[in-house]
Amino acid sequence: MPQTIVIFGASGDLASRKLIPALYLLECKKRTVHPLRVVGVSRTPMTSEQWRNKLGETTKRFTGAAFDRESWEAFAPSVHYFPGDIDRPEMFGGLDAYLRSLEGDDESGRLYYLSTSPALYPIMIRHLGQSGMADPSRGTRRIIIEKPFGSDLKSARRLNQEVHASFDENQVFRIDHYLGKETVNNILVLRFGNTIFEPIWNRNYIDNIQITAHEDVLVGHRATFYEKAGVFRDMFQNHLLQLLTFVTMEPPARFEADAVRDEKVKVLRAIRAMTPEEVVANTLRGQYRSYRDEPGVDPLSRVATYAAMRLMIDNWRWKDVPIYLRSGKGMSCRTTQIVVQFRQAPHSMFERGETSSLFEANRLLIQIQPAEGIQIYFQTKVPDTDMEIRQTQFNFNFRESYQGELPEAYQRLLLDALNGDASLFARNDEVEIAWQIIDPIQRVWDDSDSTDPDCYEINSWGPPSADAWIRRWGHQWFDLCPVLH
């Protein structure tokens, strides 16, 4: 069936930087259905030709060596622009008529992409429903909603109600770009496609799990948003909890949307709730030193730009295995990584020589970005010694093993949405349960008016107190900047 992608907020950064380049590259790979039409909607006055010319330059910039002028010229005629004010309900009637003129008499699927301020989501969804544009009787009708999906449990539930008043749940795709990354998808293959890992992927062999999502950039122009959100809402409710579910979920019977998402929801439901006193003990906040000097930031702001959290999953597989989540701005490097720390061998028969390091347990490191790959740390004998041992590592690197650049996450997610595969998109109950986990934590810190986040220097691994905090439970952070080739 022919498809039309309608991008609301088309003059914004996401459309030019991510969405159009992703669609162009999918078209180059001949992965999309034909004909594929892309219609941008924004209040900025512009013609289709002007938008195409602008996108030609930005797509060239953001696709780099993959850009081919001849291929772009073949793709550009399928790109159209419709100026309109989203706040006006009559605009949607005009848009629907314009789309029908492009689609002709044939049935055509539509994918609506909400790439605007989240405050506009309810308005657009309501107008799409009231204008009949959500009705699938003339072809599939699907909608992609960008994060953040709500700012707390109450707003997420309210937004879900708005969505379900116009769209059925199977029409809705709540996007988290982390889940489109090849390395995140590879977690499932690593766990469930190899017999060597699953037998030891449990509390009997794993001591703790650490999930890190650090950024080296500062808050910058996002200060207004960040003052309302902070790191818990910005990173933990979506990215980090999503990674946690992939690492800890049970194997689904089939790789299909509902089976995968059922298992993820089971993990979130099993996360142990915390009292306010336990929140204080099991979380830690930080703020980089110059944050209060950022434009738009309250000079007395207590918003966290760094946070660490210790969670427990109360089920048979993970009982009493701590899972540490952390994320921060202004870190020493940009890295998203998962560390699976195995237990120490029950007994060591080997002597430690003068040059050998302390005996360390096995460790599995999954690098999500930017040095995508997997490292396994294990013990080996140092040659020409009397059984002296040393930790060694085995490396797998995506870019070395597979030729060419890894596809951007939006390529995979847009293609899945076009095909109706919601496996890598969040379901309504999944979103709400994640907010049920984060809201009580955020509420404790919001109520702690006399408590400032711990200060840390830019280009560090966070506040020094974070090291003492994790040592309280007999563990230590695995701080490693990825080696880029």
Side-chain angles (χ1 to χ4, degrees):
M1 179 186 294
Q3 294 273 12
T4 303
I5 299 178
V6 183
I7 302 174
F8 293 98
S11 61
D13 184 57
L14 180 63
S16 59
R17 185 169 50 92
K18 295 292 185 182
L19 303 183
I20 296 299
L23 291 168
Y24 161 70
L25 291 174
L26 286 172
E27 187 78 359
C28 290
K29 297 174 183 177
K30 303 188 185 304
R31 303 285 296 278
T32 58
V33 296
H34 288 276
L36 174 70
R37 291 169 289 266
V38 182
V39 178
V41 181
S42 180
R43 68 178 60 182
T44 304
M46 204 179 340
T47 65
S48 293
E49 190 62 33
Q50 288 173 325
W51 197 44
R52 290 173 192 143
N53 292 336
K54 177 184 175 183
L55 292 176
E57 297 305 312
T58 54
T59 303
K60 180 180 179 181
R61 184 191 325 154
F62 292 118
T63 58
F67 185 81
D68 176 75
R69 177 58 63 179
E70 185 177 342
S71 298
W72 172 258
E73 296 297 337
F75 173 69
S78 64
V79 177
H80 309 269
Y81 186 82
F82 185 87
D85 189 344
I86 292 168
D87 289 328
R88 298 174 55 196
E90 62 269 21
M91 186 277 292
F92 287 79
L95 173 61
D96 190 36
Y98 178 72
L99 295 175
R100 288 175 184 268
S101 71
L102 294 176
E103 295 164 346
D105 296 330
D106 296 331
E107 282 194 357
S108 178
R110 290 185 193 170
L111 176 62
Y112 303 116
Y113 199 117
L114 307 192
S115 176
T116 66
S117 164
L120 296 175
Y121 292 170
I123 298 170
M124 287 185 288
I125 292 165
R126 197 176 308 126
H127 291 336
L128 285 169
Q130 292 172 349
S131 63
M133 296 174 69
D135 182 2
S137 61
R138 295 189 73 250
T140 59
R141 297 293 185 266
R142 301 183 180 117
I143 184 169
I144 293 182
I145 305 174
E146 271 280 349
K147 84 171 191 72
F149 196 90
S151 57
D152 54 20
L153 177 59
K154 183 178 179 180
S155 60
R157 281 178 172 165
R158 189 164 55 244
L159 183 53
N160 271 330
Q161 290 170 357
E162 288 278 4
V163 169
H164 291 150
S166 299
F167 293 87
D168 292 334
E169 179 62 25
N170 60 14
Q171 296 176 276
V172 183
F173 294 73
R174 299 170 188 81
I175 194 168
D176 183 341
H177 71 273
Y178 263 52
L179 298 190
K181 295 181 182 298
E182 292 289 335
T183 39
V184 174
N185 285 270
N186 196 56
I187 295 172
L188 299 183
V189 177
L190 179 76
R191 289 190 56 195
F192 305 133
N194 300 287
T195 58
I196 64 173
F197 293 112
E198 184 58 20
I200 59 172
W201 208 267
N202 55 60
R203 65 189 302 275
N204 297 320
Y205 296 94
I206 293 176
D207 180 70
N208 70 88
I209 296 172
Q210 300 176 21
I211 303 177
T212 299
H214 280 344
E215 299 175 280
D216 54 1
V217 298
L218 304 181
V219 170
H221 70 278
R222 298 183 71 217
T224 302
F225 162 78
Y226 218 79
E227 275 290 277
K228 297 178 181 178
V231 69
F232 280 117
R233 294 189 180 101
D234 186 39
M235 294 296 293
F236 284 71
Q237 185 273 337
N238 40 71
H239 300 328
L240 290 175
L241 287 182
Q242 288 287 346
L243 292 176
L244 180 150
T245 60
F246 271 60
V247 174
T248 59
M249 64 189 279
E250 295 298 321
R254 294 168 302 280
F255 188 73
E256 61 183 32
D258 280 338
V260 171
R261 298 192 292 184
D262 284 347
E263 297 302 335
K264 291 167 65 182
V265 166
K266 289 178 186 177
V267 170
L268 295 176
R269 290 190 186 280
I271 291 177
R272 186 184 302 170
M274 290 186 276
T275 65
E277 293 75 20
E278 289 170 333
V279 168
V280 174
N282 287 281
T283 63
L284 180 139
R285 300 182 309 154
Q287 186 186 90
Y288 63 79
R289 187 173 296 280
S290 60
Y291 174 72
R292 295 175 179 178
D293 299 328
E294 299 277 11
V297 171
D298 183 344
L300 300 177
S301 175
R302 292 191 173 94
V303 169
T305 62
Y306 170 99
M309 180 189 305
R310 180 178 182 265
L311 295 177
M312 308 294 283
I313 299 175
D314 288 335
N315 61 20
W316 278 41
R317 183 184 290 266
W318 299 113
K319 182 70 172 177
D320 296 330
V321 175
I323 299 175
Y324 298 99
L325 311 180
R326 61 174 175 168
S327 180
K329 296 277 191 183
M331 298 289 101
S332 59
C333 59
R334 169 177 169 259
T335 182
T336 302
Q337 62 185 30
I338 299 168
V339 177
V340 179
Q341 182 67 58
F342 291 92
R343 295 187 182 278
Q344 291 275 8
H347 170 70
S348 177
M349 66 188 78
F350 306 112
E351 296 290 337
R352 297 185 178 91
E354 294 182 359
T355 61
S356 65
S357 60
L358 291 176
F359 184 81
E360 295 184 73
N362 303 127
R363 180 185 299 123
L364 175 68
L365 173 63
I366 303 171
Q367 290 278 8
I368 304 298
Q369 64 177 10
E372 296 88 351
I374 299 169
Q375 289 86 48
I376 299 176
Y377 292 77
F378 55 99
Q379 300 295 328
T380 60
K381 177 184 178 297
V382 178
D384 200 25
T385 64
D386 186 16
M387 294 305 292
E388 183 177 344
I389 60 175
R390 179 177 300 167
Q391 190 173 70
T392 314
Q393 66 184 56
F394 169 80
N395 288 306
F396 162 75
N397 185 285
F398 271 91
R399 297 178 191 274
E400 293 176 357
S401 299
Y402 300 103
Q403 298 302 312
E405 289 292 312
L406 290 176
E408 278 279 345
Y410 280 96
Q411 290 185 49
R412 171 66 187 270
L413 294 172
L414 283 168
L415 187 60
D416 281 358
L418 285 168
N419 292 331
D421 184 353
S423 301
L424 300 178
F425 295 83
R427 200 166 60 192
N428 59 323
D429 54 346
E430 189 178 342
V431 170
E432 293 183 13
I433 296 168
W435 278 121
Q436 288 175 14
I437 295 167
I438 295 301
D439 270 6
I441 297 170
Q442 185 68 57
R443 193 157 45 244
V444 168
W445 288 115
D446 287 345
D447 292 343
S448 301
D449 293 334
S450 61
T451 306
D452 279 342
D454 295 348
C455 185
Y456 66 94
E457 302 295 335
I458 295 172
N459 297 323
S460 70
W461 281 91
S465 56
D467 293 328
W469 176 82
I470 196 172
R471 281 199 299 268
R472 288 166 51 191
W473 292 285
H475 300 128
Q476 64 181 23
W477 293 115
F478 185 73
D479 294 338
L480 178 69
C481 285
V483 178
L484 301 178
H485 296 285

